[in-house]
Amino acid sequence: MVIVTKTYTPRDFPPFAVTVDTVVLTMFQGRLHVLLVRRGIEPFKGMWAIPGGFKRPEESLLEAAHRELLEETGVDAENHLRQSGAYGDPDRDPRMNVVTLAYLAELRDVRGFAGGTDAAIAALVPISQMLGEGCEPLAFDHKQILGDAIERVRVDLALTGIATAFVGPTFTLAELRSVYEETWGFRIDGANFRRSILADGGWVIPTGRRAPSGPTGGKPAELFRAGRKWRHGAPIRPTRPSSMKKESR
Amino acid sequence: MVIVTKTYTPRDFPPFAVTVDTVVLTMFQGRLHVLLVRRGIEPFKGMWAIPGGFKRPEESLLEAAHRELLEETGVDAENHLRQSGAYGDPDRDPRMNVVTLAYLAELRDVRGFAGGTDAAIAALVPISQMLGEGCEPLAFDHKQILGDAIERVRVDLALTGIATAFVGPTFTLAELRSVYEETWGFRIDGANFRRSILADGGWVIPTGRRAPSGPTGGKPAELFRAGRKWRHGAPIRPTRPSSMKKESR
DNA sequence: GGAATAGTGTCTTTTAGACATTATCAA
DNA sequence: TTGATAATGTCTAAAAGACACTATTCC
């Protein structure tokens, strides 16, 4: 039975360290990347890790995630942070009992980042390098956390307008489509994609302007911006085309 | 900078209490209910609360959720617990800084529960009573936690086979349909529901047997069991029928 | 002009939604 | 028999998927 007083003493409850770790995902050179830091201290010194750190008593979990990411990497993900999971196995940190809350942020620009307090280096690393065949290890249970976050993004792409977070304030439908293609791992027909997206009125809105053609020419693409609508009426489905050309990469 | 030693002392990190709270949802008398406990101690003494308690250092979050639910309510939700959110605002508990991890369990049978350690009473309460118009208050931020959990269930019904968790080991399609209807709040055409469900092969499997007719007669319904398939190919969509008869309750 | 990319049109197949019809029970 | 519920069949409309064709750029 817990003694009911205004203040608790440490003997009344088992204390834990609470950390927040943020998986920052971004499109870089046409590939899905994650922002990682090289650990500068033991344990797992020198290994890649998801940026994060201890929550402070006076801040909320969200505030902690925002602050830690900014401190460690210089990246400001305010208004882009979403919860993605909690991890609290007793042995997940060899030093002590740590419960961590994973956050997720999809960002367009992850520039100007630099190693902060206790992270030696921050860098964008391709997802395929961390989760594919024969991939590199990650500190702690961060491979699990990263995997769960990716799976979350895949689902959310179909159900919400989160795809627009990966692109700029204005974007072409080809850019938006490549977000889906890269994350789901297969190609989508451009014509049908356009129809699906525009049929879901209020999600992407034409600006009337056009993007300049690329170095290889082609018709200049229309520029769109994200609308206020968030939940899709009909989901953009991750349906692998029936007789579609196989992914060629 | 954190001092790197094998063991940490309490001065190295801010300690928190970590609790796990479990939202148990079940169908009872045709309505969606949540399992709540009357708080026997301050703060919020006498108010409804989501069952839960302190995590122990030697157990995982999942194990803690399982144990606390069993202790407080007598309900064993092993293999049915899923994370649904984390809550850590500094003032969410008036006594101290508590980070809580919310779990979610959809169960068929929530019987044999009784008040345990520090919960005076455990009871099934209709969701409408806790979240509807002019509803009752809940302890702490448990109204938020409950609302988030319900929203999570609504989405998961469309994407996964979680609906079968609400019904017995064998069930009729009418029973399964009522889970969707009750959770989404509108009626679904029985014929079309049957087609959608059976088209998604491997999710529900016919047993060859039939359920006895109800007291009002009618053709005995086929009995199905849950298959191994979990993710739906095409989602069972929460599409409100266009010209459908309005919900009559 | 030719290659490349964006956008339109259209055809086919699939699925959702509505609802009529048939089947099988209890009273 | 009647009333109720389950299951099947069928029609229509909408959406997905495939792909031909046009438009506009760079080289």
Side-chain angles (χ1 to χ4, degrees), chain A residues 111-128:
Chain A
R111 283 183 302 222
F113 57 80
T117 47
D118 52 0
I121 305 172
L124 289 178
V125 181
I127 287 295
S128 56

Side-chain angles (χ1 to χ4, degrees), chain A residues 87-106:
Chain A
Y87 303 83
D89 282 358
D91 57 352
R92 64 174 296 279
D93 189 316
R95 301 164 297 185
M96 55 188 289
N97 217 305
V98 178
V99 173
T100 198
L101 289 313
Y103 277 77
L104 172 59
E106 295 90 348

Side-chain angles (χ1 to χ4, degrees), chain A residues 3-192:
Chain A
I3 308 299
V4 181
T5 53
K6 186 60 186 173
T7 55
Y8 272 52
T9 64
R11 288 191 303 105
D12 291 332
F13 65 94
F16 292 90
V18 172
T19 60
V20 288
D21 292 327
T22 300
V23 175
V24 174
L25 298 176
T26 193
M27 286 293 163
F28 182 62
Q29 296 175 341
R31 292 285 181 277
L32 187 61
H33 283 65
V34 59
L35 182 68
L36 297 177
V37 293
R38 283 271 185 205
R39 281 187 63 80
I41 59 172
E42 292 291 346
F44 302 105
K45 182 171 180 175
M47 286 176 65
W48 288 120
I50 298 167
F54 292 110
K55 175 189 185 301
R56 294 176 182 165
E58 71 277 9
E59 65 191 356
S60 69
L61 292 167
L62 189 63
E63 288 164 354
H66 176 239
R67 176 185 54 75
E68 281 288 350
L69 181 66
L70 192 60
E71 284 180 7
E72 286 212 337
T73 70
V75 172
D76 188 342
E78 186 137 47
N79 302 325
H80 291 274
L81 291 161
R82 300 181 295 147
Q83 275 184 25
S84 96
Y87 303 83
D89 282 358
D91 57 352
R92 64 174 296 279
D93 189 316
R95 301 164 297 185
M96 55 188 289
N97 217 305
V98 178
V99 173
T100 198
L101 289 313
Y103 277 77
L104 172 59
E106 295 90 348
L107 296 179
R108 155 73 171 181
D109 273 317
V110 186
R111 283 183 302 222
F113 57 80
T117 47
D118 52 0
I121 305 172
L124 289 178
V125 181
I127 287 295
S128 56
Q129 184 177 329
M130 303 315 298
L131 289 180
E133 300 287 316
C135 57
E136 288 185 46
L138 276 169
F140 305 103
D141 52 358
H142 286 190
K143 182 149 294 186
Q144 175 79 36
I145 295 175
L146 179 60
D148 291 349
I150 298 289
E151 190 48 43
R152 165 70 176 271
V153 171
R154 279 199 249 263
V155 172
D156 282 358
L157 277 181
L159 301 176
T160 75
I162 192 64
T164 56
F166 283 103
V167 295
T170 66
F171 50 88
T172 69
L173 292 188
E175 289 173 333
L176 194 64
R177 181 161 51 92
S178 81
V179 172
Y180 286 89
E181 290 180 334
E182 183 61 24
T183 307
W184 285 343
F186 54 86
R187 298 227 164 274
I188 299 169
D189 182 90
N192 295 333

